[in-house]
Every structure is written in structure tokens, then in C-alpha cells.
Amino acid sequence: RVSGAHNAMPAHTTPAHTTPARIMAAHNPLSARLVEEAGFDGAWASGFEISAALGLPDISLVSMAEHLEVVRAMAARTRLPVVADIDTGFGNALNVLHAVRSYEAAGAAAVVIEDKVFPKVTSLVEGGRQDLLRIAEFQGKIEAARHARNDPDFLIIARTEALIAGAGPGAALERGRAYAAAGADLLLVHSKSTTPDEIEGFIAAWDGGIPIVIVPTAYPQMTMARAAASGRVGLVIYGNHAIRAAVAAMQQSFARIMADGDTLGVEGGIAPVGEIFRLQGMDQVARDEAAFLR
Ligand code: SPV
Ligand code: MG
């Protein structure tokens, strides 16, 4: 269960200063463990990050089976709820039925399904093709997701890309309301505006009765306090900060080693081998050896 999310806001009320749950991106089980140790409330199995980790663009090239196996391994290695980014649901409403059953069985706590046409293009890229699905068809996908889940606490998060597609705040509200009416537990509204104004305008106008999810990558001025003050944000997803942190750290270390011709200079700035042993659970290996190897 994603704490704080399911009942973050009772229908049609706007309690002040609801504290949103914080969900950090991860692209493999190790990064999910680091998300847990840092104290986040959940791990975001980001399509962008998992694509990038496979050396691929986030344009629906990673298959459901590939993404699902990463989610399964993450859920096995962290106690945190894993929020699975299933993009468009890998096809139509029938694909969504199969996807939701599969992700719930794999140990995910929630899925996010977005209202773009399959194959989708990543949201934040300049000039990306952003084609929206018909509202009724996406409502069918939400209804399929609700029908497929076993546990009512498995969250179905509907994501509208109306602002990303440039369809405007009216279209975003219309779609959000339609998805809430179809039974979504939360509404993710994505924006690539470089200030929080667009999202704050949406949140102020929101009357759909379910909590909102935001991904403030393009508008990092959206602090936790600011999100909480709206009273309508149930989850904040930090969408791609794990892969960006990892890439920057590797680039710096690799460049230094190439420049220096040895690894002495990076030793103080990278994790000691013992830290990797700890994250791998080598202490348990030693206990298991003592207990079971004869
Ligand atoms: C992801 O992390 O895969 C997302 C968020 O969907 S974004 O890349 O900003 O669209
Ligand atoms: Mg994604």
C-alpha cells in the first residue's frame, strides 16, 4: 500500500496541508534499495529510467515482459511500495487487463497508466509526438484496470498528458474528471512547464474528488511545502533523479580515471567495496555459510 495516497483526500473535500507521499525513481533493485534507505515512501519503476538503463529511448521499445521483470526484482529487494509506470498499458484495454494482473502478481503496489496512443514518446522531450487517446477509450482502460486488480488497495493511477500535448488546462480538467468518473484512485497530471504555475492552476481548479499526483521534474521550484499546501496532492514522484545522479557520478569518476591513468583519485569519492557488500547482503551470506555449509 502506498501510504498517504489511497485516502490522501476524501472525495470532494480539500483538507489543508495534506502531506504528499514521496516516490523516488529507480531503474533496478539496487537503486530501489537506495530509495528505501534514503527514506522515501515508495519507488517509481520509471519507464524513462528503465529504458535508459537498457540504453534505449523511452518510446515504448521496452516490452511489458522486460519492464515487469525489473519491477518483480525491485519488489523482491525492497519493502517499499513499487509504483509501476506502465506507460499506455502496452496496448488497448485487453492489454491493460493482462498488465494489471501481471504487475499485481509481481508485487507492485500501484500502476500508472497514461492517456497517450501506443507507441508513446517520452513526455519531456522538446517537440515530441504527443498523441492523446480518445477519452472513452481511456476510460475503458481504467475500468479494465479496476476489474483486473485483486486487492482494492492496489492503486490505479490515471495519468493525463493533456498539458504535455498542449491541449490546455480545460482539456486536462475534462480528462481528469472523466478518469475519476471511470474509477481511477488518483490522477497524475504531467506538465513540462518550467514553473509550477500550470500545475498549481490545475490543482486549484481540480474538482474531480480524487488526489492528484505530480512529477515536478521540469518545475523543481515546486517544493514539498508548496505541494502540501494545496491539500490536493497525494503523491509527488521524482521521475528521473536516480538515473541522472548515477550517470553524473559515473561520468565524473570515469573521466578522472582516464585523465589520471589510475584509480587513486576517485577512491575517496566512490562507494567502498564494503558498502556494495552491505547492499548485496554479504553479512547474511556469512551467517548462512556458518549455519548450513558442512
Ligand atoms: C518516467 O519516469 O518514465 C515518467 C515521467 O513517465 S516522465 O519521464 O517525466 O514522463
Ligand atoms: Mg514513463
Side-chain angles (χ1 to χ4, degrees):
R1 169 171 231 181
V2 186
S3 84
H6 212 282
N7 299 315
M9 184 180 68
H12 308 298
T13 64
T14 55
H17 299 286
T18 303
T19 302
R22 288 179 291 187
I23 312 294
M24 174 53 78
H27 47 274
N28 59 23
L30 178 64
S31 50
R33 288 202 57 158
L34 296 174
V35 168
E36 178 176 343
E37 291 190 351
F40 289 96
D41 302 299
W44 167 237
S46 156
F48 176 81
E49 290 219 357
I50 292 168
S51 298
L54 291 168
L56 292 171
D58 182 18
I59 56 167
S60 299
L61 297 182
V62 175
S63 71
M64 188 191 97
E66 289 172 298
H67 187 269
L68 179 66
E69 285 319 302
V70 176
V71 168
R72 192 189 311 281
M74 278 186 189
R77 293 281 170 270
T78 173
R79 286 180 297 261
L80 285 182
V82 175
V83 180
D85 173 11
I86 64 167
D87 288 354
T88 62
F90 307 100
N92 66 19
L94 304 187
N95 297 78
V96 170
L97 286 173
H98 178 57
V100 167
R101 290 181 187 125
S102 302
Y103 280 82
E104 186 176 4
V111 288
V112 173
I113 313 176
E114 67 195 50
D115 61 354
K116 289 204 300 223
V117 173
F118 176 90
K120 67 69 152 303
V121 172
T122 195
S123 301
L124 298 181
V125 70
E126 201 56 48
R129 263 184 302 110
Q130 304 294 345
D131 301 325
L132 298 177
L133 207 63
R134 285 181 301 107
I135 292 176
E137 186 173 354
F138 194 67
Q139 285 181 307
K141 286 182 156 187
I142 295 166
E143 288 167 25
R146 284 183 63 92
H147 178 78
R149 72 177 166 193
N150 263 318
D151 180 351
D153 285 340
F154 181 88
L155 296 176
I156 309 299
I157 304 176
R159 162 170 168 176
T160 184
E161 293 280 287
L163 299 176
I164 294 286
L173 270 174
E174 181 192 7
R175 283 177 173 268
R177 289 184 191 123
Y179 305 161
D185 297 304
L186 296 97
L187 176 74
L188 191 160
V189 54
H190 203 9
S191 164
K192 60 182 173 195
S193 171
T194 53
T195 66
D197 309 1
E198 185 174 55
I199 282 292
E200 285 183 328
F202 181 91
I203 294 169
W206 178 238
D207 55 3
I210 57 174
I212 292 172
V213 182
I214 61 170
V215 186
T217 307
Y219 51 98
Q221 313 88 322
M222 188 69 161
T223 60
M224 207 50 194
R226 215 161 150 177
S230 76
R232 290 177 171 166
V233 177
L235 297 181
V236 174
I237 294 176
Y238 300 106
N240 53 30
H241 301 78
I243 199 89
R244 289 166 61 199
V247 165
M250 282 191 268
Q251 284 172 331
Q252 282 167 22
S253 293
F254 296 170
R256 177 81 190 266
I257 292 166
M258 286 301 282
D260 291 356
D262 60 58
T263 59
L264 271 173
V266 300
E267 274 300 333
I270 61 178
V273 175
E275 172 62 358
I276 309 303
F277 285 164
R278 184 187 70 78
L279 290 162
Q280 289 174 301
M282 282 304 292
D283 53 344
Q284 187 61 43
V285 172
R287 286 194 290 275
D288 289 345
E289 282 177 343
F292 303 118
L293 291 187
R294 309 273 153 86

